[in-house]
Amino acid sequence: MIKGRVNPTNTLEDQGISELGNVYYNLIESDLVEEALKRGEGHLGQGGSLLVTTGKHTGRSPKDKFVVRTPDVKDTIWWENNKPMDPDAFDRLHRDMLRHMKGRDYFVQDLYAGADPEQRLDVRLINELAWHGLFIRHMLRRPDRSELDGFAPEFTIINCPSFTADPNEHGCRTGTVIAMNFAKNLILIGGTAYAGENKKSVFSLLNYILPGKGLMPMHCSANHTTGDPSGAAVFFGLSGTGKTTLSADPARTLIGDDEHGWSDNGIFNFEGGCYAKTISLDPEAEPEIYATLTKFGTVIENMVYDEDTKDLDFEDDSLTANMRCAYPLHYISNASETSVAGHPRNVVMLTCDAYGVLPPIARLSPAQAMYHFLSGFTSKTPGTEIGVTEPIPTFSTCFGAPFMPRRPEVYGNLLRDKIARHGATCWLVNTGWTGGAFGTGSRMPIKATRALLSAALDGSLNDAEFRKDPNFGFEVPVDVPGVAEVLLDPRRTWDDGEAYDRQAAKLVQMFADNFEQYVPYIDEDVKAAAIG
């Protein structure tokens, strides 16, 4: 039975999906909250937020993600990074999932990915859980009611947490599966209730589609000078590096917190909402994000709370350290109304260095920028993936390897060309450890990071005195107002300078070893920029 506020022109039956229970099309936020509560999917929190848990999966399952090896994509997918699935296995998975869905209720959201009308992707998401419908309605861009009348999905995602895949029958690894079929414009998700799989599946789609059009997809947050969309900045980084926190600067206008595109016209947000980590969330350091937790419809995921008062515990990570909240972009008071801006003046690469070696900020040449972009050095932080319980130093190319269907050089060359064409200044910012490695040192003070970024973005940092880093060859400021001078020289923050030197040499070698895989594909200037 069709239910919902807008009767669709294109129904699920038109897509060959039949014999379901009730199908709820394009419910608005209040209806989705009501359905979620009625079905026991969560509890009402303070201010009308929705408190949910995701079961055994409290983060993404990258080892269970597959791309179907069809003739149209077999020569353009980065197969070393993307697990292949046989087309016949996908067909069996699709058949069995549709059989499982019969008689069950589903929630359909027809949404846009991309704030630029010329580049957007029309996506239909079919969710078994009402709160998943609310989550993705926050995260993607919501069409006007008039735009829904003729909505025709270019890609469809079916998310069925109660379905368990069979590795022998479906060509997957476990009972959890995320399978992308570009030939059929279809993604199937089963065996996980972690809503982030919906969001990242859309990002992976755009990461494949946009480079074919000469556009740069970016795993980054973005903001611009208030009142001046030409003064944009982008912040690359993996989960836990500070993309959401640092882009939500009350002195600047937020474009988006996670995923953007860079076209010939400038940058644009893929999404219509934010997905912020809440562990140790500080109302003074992050007041805008903190305020969303008591706003209607905010999805609060995997947080421990008092059952009587619904007060949230920001330090209890017994469910996961990857506790999060999802909310629409307009819940941030300084969010852009258009989610588009001009070409970025500054490109910031965020890294969480668990070794305690890198300085809090460094200025990069264009060749160094491509080197560090391809390297994508950071530390996986607890909870972002299953099994990660402490920071693990890692290299994730383009600061988003799990979401990159194409080879890294495709994205690296796009970024280098756009930086060169539009004259952006590039920075490497370490939000990780200082004064020692993880377990000995401490996290970089967020006030210092904000002060350094403010100076970089307003242009004043370019007038500072710089020194050449002896390990990596990039430029490091010597003195910045409002930042302790010793913090700018990581070696001085360690009690034992020789121990720092040994740690730095170890990290330099890790960079060199990791970068060997890209040497056959890059230009000489990037090779020369490798180290020192």
Side-chain angles (χ1 to χ4, degrees), residues 128-209:
E128 182 179 18
L129 298 175
W131 81 261
H132 276 197
L134 177 64
F135 171 91
I136 202 62
R137 184 171 174 83
H138 288 336
M139 296 313 304
L140 294 185
R141 304 192 65 81
R142 300 160 290 279
D144 293 334
R145 179 169 181 144
S146 61
E147 295 177 300
L148 289 171
D149 291 340
F151 190 96
E154 299 172 81
F155 238 94
T156 297
I157 299 174
I158 302 176
N159 191 331
C160 188
S162 66
F163 175 81
T164 301
D166 180 344
N168 293 325
E169 180 73 5
H170 304 135
C172 51
R173 188 182 72 99
T174 68
T176 298
V177 65
I178 303 98
M180 308 178 65
N181 191 323
F182 288 98
K184 295 192 172 183
N185 293 358
L186 181 62
I187 297 175
L188 304 177
I189 302 173
T192 172
Y194 182 65
E197 299 289 9
N198 265 342
K199 164 187 159 69
K200 290 305 184 184
S201 291
V202 175
F203 185 37
S204 297
L205 279 180
L206 292 170
N207 276 346
Y208 183 79
I209 293 169

Side-chain angles (χ1 to χ4, degrees), residues 3-4 18 42 101 110 120 142 152 303 316 354 360 407 419 436 457 484 488 529:
K3 292 177 177 273
S18 60
M101 292 168 63
D110 293 327
R120 78 186 188 196
R142 300 160 290 279
M303 287 194 73
D316 188 337
R407 279 204 57 85
I419 288 172
L457 300 187
L488 297 168

Side-chain angles (χ1 to χ4, degrees), residues 253-332:
T253 297
L254 178 67
I255 303 168
D257 83 323
D258 198 36
E259 298 164 5
H260 294 78
W262 191 347
S263 72
D264 291 339
N265 298 322
I267 59 174
F268 61 95
N269 193 355
F270 290 165
E271 301 182 301
C274 301
Y275 193 31
K277 294 191 76 170
T278 55
I279 188 168
S280 301
L281 189 66
D282 187 336
E284 293 186 7
E286 302 163 286
E288 291 276 1
I289 298 172
Y290 190 88
T292 67
L293 296 173
T294 53
K295 293 190 175 182
F296 181 81
T298 292
V299 176
I300 299 176
E301 192 179 75
N302 293 322
M303 287 194 73
V304 175
Y305 58 90
D306 185 288
E307 292 187 3
D308 295 325
T309 65
K310 301 301 188 291
D311 287 335
L312 302 171
D313 190 329
F314 295 90
E315 304 304 327
D316 188 337
D317 62 357
S318 57
L319 292 177
T320 178
N322 193 37
M323 56 183 80
R324 289 179 179 265
C325 62
Y327 50 89
L329 194 61
H330 64 259
Y331 277 8
I332 301 296

